[in-house]
Amino acid sequence: MSPEELYELLRKVQEPKGYFFNKNKEWVLNILNDLLINKQRYGYMSCPCRLAAGDREKDRDIMCPCVYREADVKEYGSCYCNLYVSREWNEGKVENQYVPERRPPEKDFLTSGH
């Protein structure tokens, strides 16, 4: 599957839920390509903006769309990666700002010692 094919597939599923791709399509296609690389690497599409443990169970919270997306988009108009955004974010009605990491440090396999 190509990043463009994944784009169309996910767009059809996510837009009715109120999640839109960032209007910067080049950015989106880069993230989608990285998701496809992680799928080849790990067998699942882990968030390319975070360090995956390579263990499906440990990475369940960062499998795209991650469990933090809903709260991030609600509060900031964008997810951590700026992949999924609200309509208002794309229209410039919401300030495009840094989205802080919500994933607890103990989940990060590099800092947790696991």
Side-chain angles (χ1 to χ4, degrees):
M1 177 177 293
S2 72
E4 291 82 7
E5 290 169 319
L6 184 58
Y7 180 95
E8 287 305 319
L9 177 76
L10 293 176
R11 186 183 64 74
K12 290 175 187 170
V13 172
Q14 298 301 326
E15 283 187 2
K17 297 177 184 179
Y19 297 103
F20 299 86
F21 282 131
N22 186 321
K23 64 184 175 186
N24 180 339
K25 193 167 182 181
E26 183 180 349
W27 174 260
V28 170
L29 291 175
N30 283 330
I31 295 286
L32 294 178
N33 185 62
D34 291 344
L35 283 168
L36 291 170
I37 289 169
N38 281 348
K39 184 171 184 172
Q40 287 179 328
R41 185 180 289 153
Y42 305 121
Y44 52 91
M45 291 193 297
S46 68
C47 175
C49 302
R50 296 176 167 105
L51 291 171
D55 178 301
R56 182 180 287 272
E57 197 52 46
K58 289 180 181 175
D59 292 337
R60 189 166 299 284
D61 65 319
I62 60 168
M63 289 165 61
C64 190
C66 73
V67 301
Y68 311 105
R69 177 184 72 169
E70 184 178 351
D72 285 348
V73 172
K74 185 175 182 180
E75 186 172 348
Y76 298 100
S78 169
C79 72
Y80 182 66
C81 296
N82 298 136
L83 175 64
Y84 288 109
V85 301
S86 66
R87 183 187 309 272
E88 295 77 16
W89 192 93
N90 266 343
E91 293 173 350
K93 296 176 182 174
V94 173
E95 179 187 352
N96 297 0
Q97 58 183 314
Y98 172 75
V99 178
E101 174 64 276
R102 286 184 194 270
R103 192 177 200 213
E106 61 271 12
K107 292 264 192 177
D108 185 335
F109 80 100
L110 287 180
T111 60
S112 67
H114 297 300

